[in-house]
Amino acid sequence: MVDIIQALGWSYVSTVASEGSYGEKGVEAFTQLSKEAGGICVAQSLKIPHNPKLEDYDKVIQQLLETQHSRAVIIFASEEDIRGVLNATKRANQVGHFLWIGSDSWGSKSSPIHQLEDVAVGAVTILPKRSSIKGFDEYFTALTLENNRRNAWFAEFWEENFDCRLLSASKREDTSRKCTGQERIGIDSKYEQEGKVQFVIDAVYAMAHALHNMQRDLCPDHPGVCPQMETAEGKTLLKYIRNTSFNGSAGTSVVFNKNGDAPGRYDLFQFQMTNSSTPEYKVVGQWVETLQLRLEELQWPDGEQEVPISVCSLPCKTGERKKRVKGMPCCWHCELCDGYQYQYDETSCRLCAYNMRPNSNRTACQPIPIVKLEWHSPWAIIPVFLAMLGIIATIFVMATFVRYNDTPIVRASGRELSYVLLTGIFLCYIITFLMIAKPDVAVCAFRRIFLGLGMCISYAALLTKTNRIYRIFEQGKQTVTAPRFISPTSQIAITSSLICVQLLGVLMWFAVDPPNTIVDYDEQKTINPMLARGVLKCDITDLQIICSLGYSILLMVTCTIYAIKTRDVPEDFNEAKPIGFTMYTTCIVWLAFIPIFFGTAQSAEKLYIQTTTLTISMNLSASVALGMLYMPKVYIIIFHPELNVQKRKRSFKAVVTAATMSSRLSQKPNERPNGEAKTELCENPAADPMSQATKKTYGTTCLLKGVTVNKDRRKKDTGSTFKIFSFEMSLKPYSLGVPII
C-alpha cells in the first residue's frame, strides 16, 4: 500500500480503521512503513468503534473533510464498516471526493459496495495472490450435516448459506423456512472458493514441517513426541517455523523472512466503470516483492484522466522555496526568491554575485547587461547637436578672424588673447564627444585632460583681459604711467601660467590615480532585477569631476569680480561690459548645473542626466562667450565693413585721462567730491580763432571751462579757462570706440 501511494504521487493521506487488532495493527504497520519510506504524511488516523452508529460514520467523514487536500484514504476495516463509511460519504454529498485504498478485507468483494458502486468508483484494493486449490471444491461441496459433524460451526454456516432453520438449537429468527438436510452446496446455493484456502492449507503444512523438523532434531532416536519436545519453549518452535521451506499447495514456494513474514504476493484491483457502464473490479497490477502497477489502465472518479492529487501542499513553482510547516514534513508554504536571489535548492534561496542577477525563472544567475550612453540616445542627441552647432560657429569665427586678421576691429580685439579664448571655447564643445564616447583607457585619459581645460583656457583669457582693464584704469586715477605687464606678450604669459596650474593638477591626478574604466553595478541596480544594468564608465567620481572643474570655476568667479569692478568704465574705451554680461550669464548657468548634478546622484538615470547636464552647461557657457564677445565683431566685419576702419590714435596718457574724466563726469552732481568742477570736454574750435591756430600747431587741443565750487559752495570762480592736455595720435587704432588697452 505504501508503494501504491508513492507510485501515484500522493504524499498526504488519512487512515480509517475498525477498532480491533486487524484495523489498528494494519494502520500502525502502514504508518511505520510510510515513515521509513519517507515522503508520506498521515493527515488523520481515525477509528470506527465497535457497534458503530450512523453518527459515528458521519463523524468520520466530517473529520476527513477537515483536511481537504488529503483525498486519499487508507481503509483497514471490516465489510460492515466499509459499507458504513461509503454510505456516510454519500449522505455528505462527497461522492468522487475521496480516493479509497482498501486492504485485503475489501479485496475484490462485492458485498461492501453493493448499491454503493458510484461511491466506490476509483477505489484501489489489494488481495493476496491466490490460486484455486484443485480437489477442495469437490471436498467442500460434498460436505453435509451428516458427514461433517466434527466442525462445530458447520451447522451455523448451513443455515446462513441456505437461508433456513435447523430444528435443533437454531439461532436464526429471521426466517421460518426449515432446513431439510438434503440441500447441496453449489447446487442449492452460490459457491465460490474462499481466497484464503491456499494460505490456510500452507499454514497447516508450515506447522507440520516445523514440528517434523523439530522432532527430527530433538528426538532422533525416539518416535513421536519425546520429553525434549514437551519441554521446549515457544521460541524454539517459532525458530523452526521461520526456517521452514517447502512447495505450497499452489505450487509456489513457502518461506519466511527474519520477521516471520511469508513473501508478499498481491493482486491489485481497481473498481472501474466498464464499457457497458457496469462497474466491476479490474486487475491493474500486482505486487511480488516490488510493485508492478499499470498506471495507464487506471480510471478515476468524475472521469479524471490524470491521477488526482492528494498532497498537503502543491509543488512550488520554479524560483520558489519551500518553507516547511513544523511537525508536518509534507506541508510547506511556497516563498518566492525575491530581489537578486535565486533558488539554490527546494528549501533555500541564495543571493547572486554583485555583477549577476537571477534569470527569468530564478533557477540560476546570469550576468547583468552592461550599458553606456549611446549616441542615438535622446540624452546624447541634444548635447551633440548643440556641440556641433557650436563647433561650426567657432570655426566660422576663427576663420573670419584669420581672414581679416589685420583689420582694425580684429587688431583692436587683442588678437592673441582672442585666439586663445576661441581655442578654449572650441575645447568646451569638443568635450561633449569625449563624454559620450565609449569609455576606454584613452578616452578616460582625454576626459581628465579636456574636462576642465577648455573652461580653464577660456576663463584664464577673460580673467587676464578684465584684470588688465582694471589695472589700467585704477592706475590711471593716480598716474599717467602705464601699468606693468599689459603688452600682448605679457598677457599670453599670464594666461599660460594660469592654464599650467590646471595641467599640473591633471598630471598629479594621473600620477595618483591612473585612468581606467569600471562597470558600476550599483548605479542602476533597481528593485526589479530584470531592469538592472551595469554602467560602463570611466573611473571618475562626482567629487573628482567637481574638483577638475573647480579651478575653472574659481577663474570664472574671479573674472566675474573684475567684470563687476570695471562695469563703470565707459564702453567707448573697452570690452568690460560685454565680458561682464558674459560672466553673469555663465555664473547663472553653473549655479543651475550644481544642484542638478548632485541632486540626481541617487537616480537610476544618473549617468545620463549628469552627463547631459554637464555637457549642455559647458556648451551654453561656450555659446554665451562666443555670442557676446565675437558675434558683434563678426557681424561688423561681414555686413558692415565700412565700420571696420582705423580711427584716431591716442596716447596712453590721453586715453586714461579722458576715461577718468568721463567717469567723473558721469556721476551725479551731488555725488562729486567737493571742489570738483563741472566741465565740458572740448570747446567748439570754430568759435575761437585762437583755438584754430593752436590746432594747427599742436594737433587737437581741448579746453575745459568750469566753475569751481568751494566746499561751502558760497564762492564761485567763473570763466576760468585752462588747458588740460594736448597730444598727438601716436598709439594703436581703435574701432567702435573700443581702444586697445
Side-chain angles (χ1 to χ4, degrees):
M1 296 175 81
V2 172
D3 289 348
I4 292 171
I5 292 171
Q6 288 182 326
L8 295 175
W10 297 340
S11 61
Y12 199 49
V13 300
S14 299
T15 62
V16 176
S18 295
E19 193 172 24
S21 60
Y22 174 76
E24 293 182 33
K25 292 292 183 180
V27 168
E28 182 181 341
F30 171 82
T31 303
Q32 181 62 34
L33 290 173
S34 63
K35 288 181 179 179
E36 294 176 0
I40 300 176
C41 297
V42 177
Q44 297 188 75
S45 290
L46 307 177
K47 291 182 182 180
I48 302 174
H50 289 299
N51 302 318
K53 300 177 182 179
L54 289 179
E55 293 80 4
D56 296 322
Y57 295 120
D58 292 336
K59 182 179 179 181
V60 167
I61 296 302
Q62 293 302 320
Q63 288 178 311
L64 290 175
L65 290 174
E66 290 177 1
T67 52
Q68 284 284 337
H69 297 295
S70 176
R71 294 182 62 187
V73 180
I74 310 301
I75 184 165
F76 278 88
S78 63
E79 296 181 26
E80 292 78 10
D81 287 342
I82 293 173
R83 286 189 61 82
V85 170
L86 296 181
N87 264 314
T89 303
K90 196 166 189 176
R91 287 195 299 272
N93 196 27
Q94 295 296 324
V95 175
H97 174 73
F98 295 109
L99 307 169
W100 308 104
I101 304 293
S103 65
D104 57 350
S105 64
W106 186 336
S108 59
K109 297 175 183 176
S110 58
S111 56
I113 60 173
H114 181 60
Q115 295 183 344
L116 296 170
E117 289 83 359
D118 56 339
V119 186
V121 168
V124 177
T125 60
I126 64 174
L127 190 64
K129 186 178 286 292
R130 60 187 181 179
S131 300
S132 180
I133 304 302
K134 294 180 180 180
F136 180 81
D137 292 337
E138 296 177 6
Y139 160 76
F140 193 79
T141 55
L143 291 177
T144 64
L145 293 173
E146 287 77 15
N147 62 17
N148 193 26
R149 294 183 180 275
R150 66 184 181 83
N151 192 325
W153 298 280
F154 192 71
E156 184 178 348
F157 165 78
W158 194 272
E159 289 181 328
E160 183 72 25
N161 189 52
F162 295 110
D163 192 23
C164 62
R165 293 179 61 191
L166 293 173
L167 296 177
S168 58
S170 176
K171 296 181 180 180
R172 290 181 60 88
E173 298 179 357
D174 56 347
T175 181
S176 59
R177 182 174 173 271
K178 296 181 180 179
C179 299
T180 63
Q182 300 302 315
E183 295 90 354
R184 291 294 177 264
I185 300 173
I187 297 176
D188 299 317
S189 67
K190 292 182 179 181
Y191 169 76
E192 181 181 0
Q193 186 179 130
E194 169 61 45
K196 296 182 177 63
V197 169
Q198 169 192 350
F199 307 110
V200 174
I201 296 174
D202 290 342
V204 173
Y205 274 104
M207 180 63 72
H209 280 286
L211 291 172
H212 175 75
N213 293 335
M214 184 178 180
Q215 193 276 339
R216 184 188 60 193
D217 293 341
L218 298 181
C219 311
D221 300 326
H222 191 284
V225 178
C226 64
Q228 289 85 347
M229 288 185 65
E230 291 179 352
T231 58
E233 296 181 354
K235 292 182 180 181
T236 304
L237 178 59
L238 180 60
K239 177 182 177 183
Y240 279 98
I241 293 175
R242 289 182 175 180
N243 291 331
T244 299
S245 62
F246 60 93
N247 286 330
S249 57
T252 58
S253 62
V254 177
V255 293
F256 300 95
N257 59 23
K258 62 181 180 179
N259 297 322
D261 297 324
R265 298 185 183 92
Y266 295 91
D267 284 323
L268 309 181
F269 297 89
Q270 188 181 42
F271 192 68
Q272 299 180 353
M273 298 291 292
T274 61
N275 294 333
S276 60
S277 299
T278 303
E280 64 178 18
Y281 291 100
K282 180 180 179 181
V283 178
V284 293
Q286 63 179 355
W287 193 94
V288 181
E289 299 299 333
T290 58
L291 178 67
Q292 301 171 29
L293 180 62
R294 297 185 289 276
L295 293 173
E296 67 279 1
E297 297 181 9
L298 298 179
Q299 296 180 9
W300 303 102
D302 300 327
E304 292 184 63
Q305 298 298 320
E306 298 182 356
V307 178
I309 296 175
S310 181
V311 294
C312 181
S313 302
L314 295 175
C316 292
K317 300 177 182 178
T318 54
E320 296 179 341
R321 73 178 185 92
K322 294 180 180 178
K323 186 178 181 181
R324 301 284 185 183
V325 176
K326 188 175 181 180
M328 293 296 291
C330 299
C331 301
W332 58 81
H333 301 295
C334 294
E335 291 186 349
L336 179 66
C337 297
D338 58 353
Y340 287 81
Q341 294 181 332
Y342 71 100
Q343 183 183 2
Y344 179 71
D345 54 34
E346 67 174 12
T347 59
S348 63
C349 300
R350 287 194 177 181
L351 192 66
C352 292
Y354 75 98
N355 60 341
M356 307 285 280
R357 69 179 183 184
N359 56 16
S360 57
N361 57 12
R362 293 185 177 272
T363 56
C365 293
Q366 62 184 10
I368 295 177
I370 298 174
V371 298
K372 65 178 185 64
L373 183 56
E374 301 292 343
W375 293 101
H376 59 269
S377 169
W379 297 100
I381 291 175
I382 296 175
V384 167
F385 177 74
L386 294 177
M388 292 180 67
L389 291 180
I391 289 172
I392 294 172
T394 305
I395 294 174
F396 176 74
V397 171
M398 191 174 292
T400 302
F401 267 52
V402 172
R403 170 69 178 80
Y404 299 95
N405 187 60
D406 293 325
T407 60
I409 196 169
V410 175
R411 295 173 61 194
S413 299
R415 288 175 294 184
E416 295 79 5
L417 286 183
S418 292
Y419 290 130
V420 171
L421 179 56
L422 285 172
T423 302
I425 292 173
F426 181 80
L427 293 179
C428 287
Y429 290 122
I430 288 295
I431 191 63
T432 298
F433 300 94
L434 289 174
M435 296 300 293
I436 298 175
K438 181 179 179 180
D440 55 33
V441 175
V443 170
C444 293
F446 282 119
R447 280 188 188 179
R448 292 190 182 187
I449 295 171
F450 292 107
L451 182 61
L453 185 60
M455 290 179 58
C456 178
I457 293 173
S458 300
Y459 299 128
L462 287 176
L463 176 59
T464 303
K465 272 194 173 188
T466 54
N467 175 265
R468 179 170 178 261
I469 295 170
Y470 175 77
R471 288 189 295 114
I472 287 173
F473 285 98
E474 282 298 309
Q475 186 162 336
K477 295 177 182 179
Q478 303 172 5
T479 178
V480 294
T481 304
R484 300 173 62 189
F485 308 119
I486 64 172
S487 65
T489 304
S490 300
Q491 299 300 294
I492 293 297
I494 294 172
T495 303
S496 301
S497 301
L498 295 174
I499 295 172
C500 286
V501 175
Q502 174 76 17
L503 294 176
L504 181 61
V506 173
L507 291 176
M508 293 176 62
W509 188 5
F510 276 119
V512 174
D513 183 18
N516 196 10
T517 59
I518 61 170
V519 179
D520 189 346
Y521 292 97
D522 294 327
E523 183 173 312
Q524 294 194 28
K525 207 160 199 178
T526 57
I527 296 176
N528 183 359
M530 293 297 103
L531 301 178
R533 298 291 184 271
V535 180
L536 177 64
K537 60 182 183 179
C538 292
D539 188 11
I540 304 176
T541 64
D542 294 348
L543 182 60
Q544 289 173 333
I545 291 176
I546 296 301
C547 289
S548 179
L549 296 174
Y551 179 65
S552 300
I553 294 175
L554 177 62
L555 295 178
M556 177 183 70
V557 172
T558 307
C559 184
T560 304
I561 293 173
Y562 277 110
I564 294 173
K565 288 185 176 184
T566 58
R567 69 186 184 280
D568 292 331
V569 175
E571 60 182 345
D572 289 345
F573 295 95
N574 60 82
E575 292 180 286
K577 283 184 171 56
I579 293 175
F581 293 143
T582 299
M583 299 316 301
Y584 306 151
T585 307
T586 304
C587 287
I588 293 173
V589 169
W590 286 98
L591 284 175
F593 159 77
I594 292 175
I596 296 175
F597 187 84
F598 286 102
T600 58
Q602 304 301 323
S603 171
E605 304 292 335
K606 172 185 175 182
L607 170 70
Y608 311 123
I609 297 176
Q610 290 188 342
T611 303
T612 303
T613 304
L614 176 61
T615 52
I616 288 180
S617 297
M618 298 189 75
N619 289 340
L620 290 178
S621 300
S623 299
V624 167
L626 189 67
M628 291 190 175
L629 298 179
Y630 289 100
M631 287 307 174
K633 297 179 177 63
V634 173
Y635 177 78
I636 294 297
I637 292 172
I638 296 177
F639 297 104
H640 294 283
E642 70 277 3
L643 300 179
N644 190 10
V645 295
Q646 182 171 336
K647 294 189 177 181
R648 295 181 300 170
K649 295 183 179 180
R650 294 181 179 181
S651 67
F652 174 78
K653 176 181 176 181
V655 171
V656 174
T657 305
T660 304
M661 293 301 297
S662 176
S663 177
R664 291 178 179 177
L665 289 173
S666 66
Q667 296 178 351
K668 295 180 180 180
N670 60 354
E671 294 177 349
R672 295 174 190 146
N674 289 334
E676 189 172 294
K678 178 181 179 183
T679 62
E680 293 180 3
L681 197 57
C682 295
E683 289 184 332
N684 186 355
D688 191 349
M690 191 68 178
S691 104
Q692 291 283 356
T694 306
K695 180 178 179 181
K696 293 179 181 178
T697 305
Y698 298 100
T700 299
T701 301
C702 292
L703 299 179
L704 297 178
K705 293 182 180 180
V707 177
T708 303
V709 182
N710 296 327
K711 292 182 180 180
D712 57 4
R713 303 197 177 198
R714 293 176 181 176
K715 298 179 181 180
K716 293 190 291 183
D717 181 10
T718 60
S720 299
T721 302
F722 54 93
K723 192 175 194 178
I724 298 299
F725 57 83
S726 65
F727 59 88
E728 182 180 353
M729 302 297 182
S730 60
L731 285 178
K732 296 183 179 180
Y734 72 100
S735 177
L736 296 178
V738 181
I740 296 180
I741 55 177

